[in-house]
Amino acid sequence: MTAAMKEPRPSENPPAAGVVAPPESRRALIWDRPVPGAGRAPLVWLLGVHGGAGASTLAHVLAPAADSHRRWPGVFERESPFVVLVARETIAGLTRGHDLLRQHRAGLAGPSEVLGLVTVAVRPGRIPAEIRRYRDVVGALAGQVWQLPWIEEWTLVEPDQLPVWSPGDPAPQQRKRKLDPLQEVPHEVDALGMSIVDLVRETVGGGSQSDEGERR
């Protein structure tokens, strides 16, 4: 999957004061055409900031989302401008997320609008203090930060074998506490999906569900 790098469309996001853009080699490219392979117009794009971040898996599990294939959407043909970055909880992963957040804040990510950052655990158990501190630093630039735990069962199957969350599904507190992650979406993923959809609604000024449905 390739696309020539052309002059990006003008950014609708003015550079933030005091933000230093990363060098060009550490920026993500901007699609010069509609994001290929989405198959539908998503409500939000998931941009994996590095290979193996988990964006493609989450794009399958979250019905309103699609994978932007590690590039900023150019927002062509009614594409959503909303982007959520996805990074693994490693120093390298968070650094890459920091680079892309700086790129966006510097006005070099096209017309995209970043809603926040999802960090995905790389192992079960507690997060090392160094990772937690650095995540807080990066998160300050992202605004909204969501954390997903390690889900062992998800490593045992292909993404298309995982359950799918949709906005109309029951809220986490309305469901049983123990579940099979291969049959039902875990509570943390439920909450992530609901939070992203609510944030989009808030950002667009409380748009109707029918308006959002046109993007799905």
Side-chain angles (χ1 to χ4, degrees):
M1 183 185 306
T2 60
M5 183 62 175
K6 297 182 179 180
E7 288 296 321
R9 300 173 68 189
S11 173
E12 298 177 3
N13 304 298
V19 174
V20 178
E24 189 171 355
S25 62
R26 297 190 65 83
R27 303 174 195 169
L29 300 181
I30 304 167
W31 282 108
D32 60 358
R33 55 193 171 98
V35 178
R40 54 181 168 77
L43 183 68
V44 63
W45 296 103
L46 300 180
L47 196 168
V49 303
H50 57 82
S56 59
T57 296
L58 282 176
H60 172 79
V61 173
L62 299 176
D67 188 355
S68 70
H69 305 292
R70 298 184 60 188
R71 297 189 183 203
W72 299 100
V75 191
F76 293 94
E77 299 179 6
R78 292 174 56 83
E79 284 183 326
S80 171
F82 301 118
V83 175
V84 171
L85 303 182
V86 184
R88 289 285 177 179
E89 287 175 347
T90 65
I91 292 298
L94 293 172
T95 296
R96 183 62 177 151
H98 197 210
D99 287 338
L100 268 59
L101 287 166
R102 288 163 54 210
Q103 176 185 358
H104 180 262
R105 287 295 190 95
L108 299 172
S112 299
E113 182 170 351
V114 171
L115 296 178
L117 170 71
V118 174
T119 66
V120 183
V122 297
R123 65 183 186 187
R126 299 185 61 183
I127 305 170
E130 297 85 353
I131 298 294
R132 187 169 59 251
R133 286 194 293 267
Y134 191 31
R135 187 184 64 190
D136 290 343
V137 171
V138 176
L141 202 57
Q144 179 71 48
V145 179
W146 300 274
Q147 194 273 338
L148 288 182
W150 177 261
I151 304 174
E152 181 76 28
E153 293 83 353
W154 282 18
T155 68
L156 305 177
V157 298
E158 295 289 339
D160 61 7
Q161 295 179 266
L162 297 175
V164 176
W165 175 86
S166 295
D169 292 348
Q173 63 268 24
Q174 296 175 322
R175 294 166 50 182
K176 59 187 179 183
R177 290 184 175 273
K178 293 184 179 180
L179 51 81
D180 180 355
L182 297 181
Q183 300 297 323
E184 297 182 83
V185 174
H187 300 305
E188 296 87 352
V189 180
D190 246 327
L192 169 64
M194 292 173 63
S195 181
I196 290 175
V197 170
D198 286 346
L199 188 55
V200 170
R201 288 174 176 161
E202 178 183 334
T203 303
V204 299
S208 68
Q209 291 186 358
S210 60
D211 291 337
E212 291 159 12
E214 293 181 2
R215 290 191 182 278
R216 294 188 196 121

